[in-house]
Amino acid sequence: MTDYRLPITMSRAGNSIDRPISLWNRLQQRLQSVPPPVPEESISLRILVQALVLVGIAATDVAAETQLSLWAIPLSIIGATWSWYRRHDRNIWVKFILAIAMLLALGNFLGELLGSLNDTRLVLAKLLIQIQVLHTFDLPRRKDLGYSMVIGLILLGVAGTVSQTLVFGAFLLLFLALALPVLVLDYRSRLGIVADQTPRKSQPTALLPWKSIAILLPIVLTLGLILFAVMPRVPGYQLRSLPVSATINFQGSFDGRNIVSPLGSEGEEEGDGTGLGGTGTGPGELDDEFYYGFGNEINQNLRGEMKPKLVMRVRSQAKGFWRVIAFDRYTGQGWKISRLENPNKFYRSTWTYRFLLPPFWSQGGTKEVIQTYAIVSDLPSLIPALDRPQELYFPTKEVAIDPEGTLRSPVKLADGLTYSVISRVPLRNRTALESALTTYPEPIRQSYLQVPPTIQNKVRQRTLEILDSSKNPLTNPYAKALYLAQYLKQNYQIPSNPLDLPFLREGEDLVENFLFGCPPTDRLKTCTPGGYADHFSTVLTIMLRSIGIPARLVAGYAPGEFNPFTGFYEVKNTDAYAMTEVYFPQYGWFAFDPIPGHEIVPPSVEDYERFSVLRQFWKWVAGWIPARVTAWFEGVFGWIFRAIGSLFQFFLQGWGGIFARAIALVGFGFAGWLSWQAWREWRRRRWLGTLHPMERLYQQLINWSARCGLDKHPAQTPLEYAKAARDRYPQKIADIIEAIVSSYANWRYGGIAPDLKSLHPQFRELQQQFARKRGKERHRRKKYS
């Protein structure tokens, strides 16, 4: 066995022998020889930093809906108290235990990371919280408190990315209110000022400049809100670690045809698995919570209304129609999907949550839009997404797509579910669509031109009459679809009381009743033509089919209300409705909305607004000023924002954008330098204005001399500086400099009042003579060059 003891040695006196020193004792001696860290003595700084960290922990806990605060906050308080009372001790054993605990936390993090590849943000936040809790047991130095401040800020940032509500705003304001005094105390500590003590009892100082902080807080908050409002919303998701819930292990067979109802438990179908739409015919009552149109077959002979309820939050690069399901077969009083025999099923790998869906090509081009959906109320097993999804990040191991492009899940979309979609949305170019071909493939003709024979001729004749009433000739399907949608919006209406609309009788057709239900002899207008909102879309679809234009009914959600503070579109159940989709060969399907109160062309990727926050604020302000003033401001600011938006768009395109960004960066740098110089000059002038006239004249002389090439060294006395000027400048200039410097020295050190009336003209003469001298030199150089 190896002996690590030191050899025996003799002392200087030669009469004693040193005992062997073990390696352990040497280690202890070495640790004892290390000077202890200089502790931070400000208890106020420690308390406020700890409060800052606790706000970050609580914000992350609330935003992610976890229970980390239940153990993290109490342990943090205990650790901070321990570190205060033990701040002067070495705490070697404590440091050793903390190091082992941190290694265990790292091992736990790596284990959880492998099982949470869907979203690593919370796993990283949990590791940070664990490290911070352990760190609070050893906070003797100001530098350690600085680490805690950074961790608190990171946790607040994580909470901001996870949060979906305005509750995060309260934590943000609290964090800001604590951060300002923390920065003040930290700065004082760096200067060696202990805020909790006063150097003299006769000169007490306030712990913090509360009045200044109270003034600074609203200023910082106002500036932050202004920057937030004017900051353009550029497309996000540049790094594609898209949010998605943890894996859902579905037990059972998934055929892709049936729809799981939100009313049942997981894997349990409602009735025959058709969803919430009903049987397709016969009078009935609408569910007050769930939209009736999300089923394989829907009945539009239902009456009632829904109670508003938030169902999901959507974060998207552009707003749009969150498409859910489409129908091809009209039943007379509703719709159904006729081709559900063999839906396409897709599977993902075990190590990724990404489903690769069928690619899509459009002659008019497409635009990639990334969306993240957070479900907050149970929904059927139909997956909302923008048109033409190409990639789906979903927690189940399989999904399906039916022939109408509907994404289907094996489980219902339960409260708390998160998934992401990447869509290639077709660009809507009206000129291109108006020139599209009118020869349709046979599968399109067979599926999307179906009209009940009993009403086909009648509806066709009425449709042609409406088209003939146009002042301009309608020569293409796009123009016809627009005109018919506008005609329905203007000539039919939705009843103010939904219960006033009578049920359809057995065998009665919805479209026929809508168009011809009011007799021409009704001169008193006792009959109101129209129907429910979705009835308008059904009528437009059948009218287009009757004249040979392929169309289908599509149901989904409107964009909802955009919350500028969270970045989410908040979608309610009452935002669900149906529209008409029209097919254009080589371009795809495009929607038309004939519902009164809606835009004919639904929101699309071309309507993306980078200044949406500022636009919403302007709408609020515009309600308080006259219409003419509003119109003028809208014209001016509209042109400005369009120009800025076009500039940003140019910056993001190819090599030209790279060069433009480089030029803009140089320009902004130069403008920043000019601003800095102007600010320094303003500060100098302001400072000079506070000086005595003699002191001001002397400082002006020093600055002028420095610009001319003669700097005054800080160690030089005024008279030494005057002597150096005599060695550099001609006698007349040197005499003026000496006169000003001598007057300054006599005033400063001898108390002799200066003759400013004679000194100011001399200084102006000095500047003029030097300028003439410089001009002569430039003229001489130019002459000989």
Side-chain angles (χ1 to χ4, degrees):
M1 184 174 181
T2 304
D3 187 4
Y4 291 98
R5 297 178 299 172
L6 295 176
I8 300 175
T9 57
M10 298 295 294
S11 67
R12 289 184 179 180
N15 56 2
S16 64
I17 300 176
D18 292 337
R19 293 182 177 275
I21 302 176
S22 65
L23 184 62
W24 175 252
N25 290 332
R26 292 185 65 195
L27 179 61
Q28 283 187 320
Q29 290 179 4
R30 194 174 190 87
L31 292 175
Q32 293 295 331
S33 65
V34 176
V38 180
E40 173 58 54
E41 298 292 345
S42 174
I43 189 172
S44 301
L45 178 59
R46 287 175 171 269
I47 291 175
L48 288 176
V49 169
Q50 188 61 31
L52 212 62
V53 174
L54 296 183
V55 170
I57 295 174
T60 305
D61 195 19
V62 172
E65 298 181 355
T66 60
Q67 295 181 345
L68 299 174
S69 300
L70 296 180
W71 61 268
I73 291 180
L75 286 179
S76 295
I77 296 174
I78 294 173
T81 306
W82 163 272
S83 65
W84 167 255
Y85 286 106
R86 303 278 297 182
R87 65 188 184 279
H88 296 289
D89 299 331
R90 297 180 184 275
N91 301 318
I92 296 174
W93 285 101
V94 175
K95 295 177 186 291
F96 182 73
I97 295 173
L98 292 179
I100 295 176
M102 288 183 179
L103 290 176
L104 293 176
L106 178 61
N108 180 64
F109 161 73
L110 294 176
E112 291 187 349
L113 185 64
L114 295 176
S116 304
L117 295 176
N118 57 306
D119 192 353
T120 59
R121 292 175 297 177
L122 294 182
V123 181
L124 290 169
K126 185 177 179 181
L127 174 65
L128 268 180
I129 291 174
Q130 292 171 347
I131 296 297
Q132 171 58 30
V133 170
L134 296 173
H135 185 56
T136 54
F137 284 86
D138 186 32
L139 294 175
R141 299 170 298 180
R142 184 183 67 251
K143 182 170 66 174
D144 298 318
L145 295 176
Y147 295 150
S148 295
M149 286 188 279
V150 172
I151 291 177
L153 182 62
I154 294 174
L155 290 175
L156 190 74
V158 172
T161 63
V162 176
S163 177
Q164 301 176 10
T165 64
L166 287 177
V167 176
F168 171 73
F171 289 100
L172 184 62
L173 292 176
L174 182 58
F175 190 90
L176 176 62
L178 291 171
L180 292 179
V182 164
L183 293 175
V184 172
L185 292 176
D186 180 72
Y187 181 69
R188 285 183 172 183
S189 177
R190 293 174 187 275
L191 296 178
I193 303 173
V194 180
D196 305 313
Q197 300 175 1
T198 55
R200 299 178 184 175
K201 293 183 179 180
S202 59
Q203 296 179 356
T205 58
L207 180 63
L208 280 170
W210 294 112
K211 184 179 293 185
S212 300
I213 292 176
I215 297 173
L216 186 60
L217 180 61
I219 293 176
V220 172
L221 187 60
T222 303
L223 290 176
L225 290 175
I226 292 173
L227 290 175
F228 178 77
V230 301
M231 188 70 68
R233 294 182 62 237
V234 296
Y237 295 109
Q238 301 301 323
L239 298 177
R240 297 198 178 180
S241 178
L242 301 181
V244 59
S245 297
T247 300
I248 298 176
N249 293 314
F250 172 68
Q251 303 296 329
S253 60
F254 174 55
D255 58 11
R257 295 194 299 267
N258 294 330
I259 298 174
V260 181
S261 167
L263 301 174
S265 59
E266 291 294 345
E268 191 176 301
E269 299 171 355
E270 179 201 28
D272 58 357
T274 60
L276 299 169
T279 59
T281 60
E285 185 177 351
L286 285 173
D287 189 280
D288 63 355
E289 182 177 355
F290 299 103
Y291 177 63
Y292 78 99
F294 297 150
N296 290 334
E297 186 175 1
I298 64 172
N299 179 10
Q300 293 189 304
N301 195 16
L302 305 179
R303 302 294 181 264
E305 57 184 345
M306 291 186 295
K307 297 178 181 178
K309 178 182 180 182
L310 186 67
V311 294
M312 64 181 180
R313 297 186 179 95
V314 184
R315 174 170 285 162
S316 175
Q317 293 175 313
K319 69 177 180 179
F321 181 72
W322 318 122
R323 191 179 188 275
V324 177
I325 192 171
F327 306 91
D328 64 329
R329 181 67 56 177
Y330 175 60
T331 61
Q333 294 185 4
W335 291 85
K336 69 177 182 179
I337 302 174
S338 63
R339 301 175 296 165
L340 276 177
E341 294 78 14
N342 296 305
N344 294 326
K345 296 176 69 175
F346 296 87
Y347 303 87
R348 63 173 175 84
S349 302
T350 55
W351 52 271
T352 180
Y353 287 82
R354 184 176 68 166
F355 292 90
L356 292 176
L357 305 179
F360 170 74
W361 174 86
S362 173
Q363 185 172 321
T366 60
K367 182 175 182 179
E368 182 182 88
V369 181
I370 304 176
Q371 318 120 62
T372 295
Y373 297 79
I375 308 301
V376 298
S377 179
D378 291 356
L379 295 175
S381 58
L382 302 173
I383 304 175
L386 280 180
D387 193 20
R388 295 299 176 179
Q390 300 296 285
E391 297 179 26
L392 172 66
Y393 294 77
F394 201 75
T396 60
K397 296 182 178 179
E398 55 183 339
V399 295
I401 300 181
D402 66 22
E404 309 305 327
T406 301
L407 286 171
R408 295 171 177 258
S409 164
V411 297
K412 69 181 180 181
L413 307 188
D415 181 9
L417 178 72
T418 300
Y419 67 94
S420 298
V421 183
I422 301 178
S423 299
R424 301 291 307 185
V425 182
L427 297 177
R428 191 176 190 126
N429 187 326
R430 176 171 178 171
T431 303
L433 294 177
E434 286 180 340
S435 60
L437 300 175
T438 56
T439 54
Y440 304 104
E442 188 59 28
I444 295 293
R445 294 181 59 85
Q446 290 180 356
S447 300
Y448 304 109
L449 291 178
Q450 173 261 340
V451 180
T454 56
I455 67 168
Q456 184 168 11
N457 292 333
K458 194 175 183 180
V459 173
R460 174 182 170 83
Q461 182 179 358
R462 178 60 178 148
T463 303
L464 293 175
E465 290 175 359
I466 294 173
L467 295 175
D468 290 339
S469 65
S470 172
K471 296 180 180 179
N472 300 317
L474 305 173
T475 59
N476 59 81
Y478 191 92
K480 293 177 181 178
L482 277 179
Y483 188 82
L484 291 174
Q486 185 66 35
Y487 182 88
L488 293 176
K489 290 167 64 74
Q490 294 178 348
N491 293 275
Y492 297 86
Q493 55 185 313
I494 301 173
S496 56
N497 185 358
L499 299 178
D500 291 343
L501 190 67
F503 288 104
L504 298 173
R505 297 184 296 273
E506 184 178 355
E508 191 174 7
D509 188 271
L510 186 151
V511 176
E512 184 181 24
N513 182 270
F514 186 100
L515 293 174
F516 310 104
C518 292
T521 57
D522 184 23
R523 298 180 179 178
L524 298 178
K525 303 295 181 182
T526 57
C527 176
T528 302
Y532 275 3
D534 290 353
H535 295 175
F536 286 77
S537 301
T538 293
V539 172
L540 176 62
T541 305
I542 299 303
M543 292 176 76
L544 290 171
R545 287 185 173 190
S546 70
I547 57 175
I549 300 177
R552 66 185 178 189
L553 191 78
V554 59
Y557 292 98
E561 183 177 355
F562 179 70
N563 188 327
F565 296 100
T566 63
F568 282 91
Y569 293 93
E570 298 179 348
V571 184
K572 299 180 180 179
N573 57 348
T574 50
D575 291 322
Y577 69 100
M579 290 192 301
T580 298
E581 280 188 341
V582 180
Y583 180 75
F584 296 89
Q586 299 182 349
Y587 292 93
W589 294 89
F590 290 88
F592 295 83
D593 191 345
I595 299 174
H598 292 196
E599 294 291 336
I600 294 181
V601 176
S604 61
V605 292
E606 292 88 351
D607 300 329
Y608 176 68
E609 297 178 356
R610 289 181 171 83
F611 299 95
S612 55
V613 177
L614 194 60
R615 180 174 291 276
Q616 291 193 16
F617 176 74
W618 167 247
K619 287 181 178 178
W620 177 79
V621 173
W624 299 87
I625 58 180
R628 291 185 177 180
V629 179
T630 302
W632 184 84
F633 275 111
E634 285 183 348
V636 173
F637 287 116
W639 181 87
I640 294 174
F641 291 134
R642 282 194 299 271
I644 297 176
S646 300
L647 189 62
F648 270 96
Q649 187 68 26
F650 178 70
F651 282 167
L652 299 175
Q653 293 178 353
W655 288 103
I658 294 176
F659 286 118
R661 288 197 296 271
I663 295 172
L665 185 62
V666 173
F668 280 123
F670 183 68
W673 178 80
L674 289 178
S675 302
W676 171 254
Q677 295 298 323
W679 182 73
R680 289 182 60 185
E681 180 65 20
W682 174 79
R683 285 195 63 185
R684 189 185 70 83
R685 291 180 180 274
R686 186 180 178 189
W687 171 66
L688 289 174
T690 62
L691 302 178
H692 185 276
M694 186 66 243
E695 177 77 22
R696 186 186 311 129
L697 180 61
Y698 176 72
Q699 293 296 335
Q700 288 174 336
L701 174 66
I702 297 297
N703 291 332
W704 171 83
S705 177
R707 289 196 300 269
C708 295
L710 179 61
D711 290 323
K712 179 184 178 299
H713 193 276
Q716 281 182 319
T717 65
L719 297 180
E720 290 174 342
Y721 165 70
K723 183 179 179 181
R726 183 169 293 279
D727 296 337
R728 181 182 180 91
Y729 297 117
Q731 181 176 355
K732 193 170 184 178
I733 295 178
D735 290 343
I736 297 175
I737 293 177
E738 185 175 2
I740 296 175
V741 170
S742 299
S743 298
Y744 171 75
N746 292 333
W747 167 77
R748 179 71 180 269
Y749 304 108
I752 301 175
D755 185 9
L756 293 173
K757 291 184 178 180
S758 64
L759 292 177
H760 280 295
Q762 291 184 58
F763 181 63
R764 286 193 294 270
E765 183 183 355
L766 173 67
Q767 292 175 312
Q768 293 171 1
Q769 287 190 12
F770 194 82
R772 286 195 295 268
K773 180 177 177 294
R774 281 288 182 91
K776 291 178 180 179
E777 290 178 355
R778 285 196 298 268
H779 179 71
R780 188 182 302 112
R781 285 196 299 267
K782 184 177 180 181
K783 180 179 179 181
Y784 287 106
S785 62

